[in-house]
Amino acid sequence: MAELVAWIHQSQADLPVPIIAGITHYQFVTIHPFYDCNGRTARTLTTWLLYQAGYDPGKIYALEEFCAEDLEGY
Protein backbone atom coordinates (compact mmCIF):
# COMPACT_ATOMS: atom_id res chain seq x y z
CA MET A 1 0.00 0.00 0.00
CA ALA A 2 2.86 2.38 0.77
CA GLU A 3 4.27 1.81 -2.71
CA LEU A 4 0.86 2.50 -4.26
CA VAL A 5 0.50 5.76 -2.34
CA ALA A 6 4.03 6.78 -3.34
CA TRP A 7 3.24 5.99 -6.98
CA ILE A 8 0.07 8.11 -6.83
CA HIS A 9 2.03 11.11 -5.56
CA GLN A 10 4.87 10.64 -8.06
CA SER A 11 2.56 10.16 -11.04
CA GLN A 12 0.57 13.34 -10.54
CA ALA A 13 3.21 15.34 -12.41
CA ASP A 14 3.20 13.03 -15.44
CA LEU A 15 -0.28 11.53 -15.86
CA PRO A 16 -3.83 12.89 -15.98
CA VAL A 17 -5.70 12.28 -12.73
CA PRO A 18 -8.43 10.10 -14.34
CA ILE A 19 -5.68 7.73 -15.56
CA ILE A 20 -4.09 7.68 -12.10
CA ALA A 21 -7.50 7.00 -10.54
CA GLY A 22 -8.17 4.11 -12.92
CA ILE A 23 -4.78 2.49 -12.36
CA THR A 24 -5.09 3.04 -8.62
CA HIS A 25 -8.49 1.33 -8.62
CA TYR A 26 -7.11 -1.68 -10.46
CA GLN A 27 -4.01 -1.96 -8.30
CA PHE A 28 -5.95 -1.52 -5.07
CA VAL A 29 -8.36 -4.37 -5.76
CA THR A 30 -5.47 -6.66 -6.63
CA ILE A 31 -3.43 -5.94 -3.47
CA HIS A 32 -6.12 -5.13 -0.87
CA PRO A 33 -5.93 -7.96 1.68
CA PHE A 34 -9.67 -8.44 2.23
CA TYR A 35 -12.11 -10.31 0.02
CA ASP A 36 -15.12 -8.24 1.06
CA CYS A 37 -15.37 -4.47 0.47
CA ASN A 38 -12.59 -4.25 -2.12
CA GLY A 39 -14.89 -2.70 -4.70
CA ARG A 40 -16.50 -0.19 -2.38
CA THR A 41 -13.20 0.86 -0.89
CA ALA A 42 -11.57 1.12 -4.33
CA ARG A 43 -14.46 3.24 -5.67
CA THR A 44 -14.21 5.51 -2.62
CA LEU A 45 -10.46 5.91 -3.19
CA THR A 46 -10.99 6.63 -6.88
CA THR A 47 -13.71 9.19 -6.14
CA TRP A 48 -11.49 10.87 -3.56
CA LEU A 49 -8.57 11.12 -6.02
CA LEU A 50 -10.83 12.68 -8.64
CA TYR A 51 -12.43 15.05 -6.14
CA GLN A 52 -9.05 16.20 -4.84
CA ALA A 53 -8.08 17.11 -8.40
CA GLY A 54 -11.19 19.24 -8.88
CA TYR A 55 -13.43 16.75 -10.65
CA ASP A 56 -17.05 16.77 -9.50
CA PRO A 57 -17.99 13.10 -9.04
CA GLY A 58 -21.67 14.04 -9.24
CA LYS A 59 -21.20 15.11 -12.85
CA ILE A 60 -19.25 12.08 -14.05
CA TYR A 61 -21.25 9.97 -16.50
CA ALA A 62 -21.58 6.33 -15.51
CA LEU A 63 -22.78 3.87 -18.12
CA GLU A 64 -24.04 1.49 -15.44
CA GLU A 65 -26.41 4.19 -14.12
CA PHE A 66 -27.80 4.71 -17.64
CA CYS A 67 -28.37 0.96 -18.04
CA ALA A 68 -29.97 0.67 -14.59
CA GLU A 69 -32.65 3.16 -15.61
CA ASP A 70 -34.08 0.61 -18.06
CA LEU A 71 -32.85 -2.85 -17.05
CA GLU A 72 -35.48 -4.65 -19.10
CA GLY A 73 -34.54 -2.72 -22.24
CA TYR A 74 -30.86 -3.27 -21.57
Side-chain angles (χ1 to χ4, degrees), residues 43-74:
R43 286 188 298 277
T44 300
L45 176 59
T46 300
T47 301
W48 181 78
L49 288 170
L50 292 169
Y51 180 77
Q52 290 293 311
Y55 289 86
D56 182 356
K59 294 182 181 179
I60 295 175
Y61 176 77
L63 183 59
E64 61 191 31
E65 291 176 12
F66 176 78
C67 294
E69 290 177 4
D70 184 18
L71 286 176
E72 189 173 312
Y74 174 73

Side-chain angles (χ1 to χ4, degrees), residues 14-61:
D14 302 322
L15 296 172
V17 172
I19 300 297
I20 294 170
I23 293 170
T24 298
H25 184 280
Y26 174 79
Q27 288 297 319
F28 182 84
V29 297
T30 60
I31 63 175
H32 190 256
F34 304 108
Y35 178 72
D36 191 24
C37 298
N38 278 357
R40 285 176 284 192
T41 305
R43 286 188 298 277
T44 300
L45 176 59
T46 300
T47 301
W48 181 78
L49 288 170
L50 292 169
Y51 180 77
Q52 290 293 311
Y55 289 86
D56 182 356
K59 294 182 181 179
I60 295 175
Y61 176 77

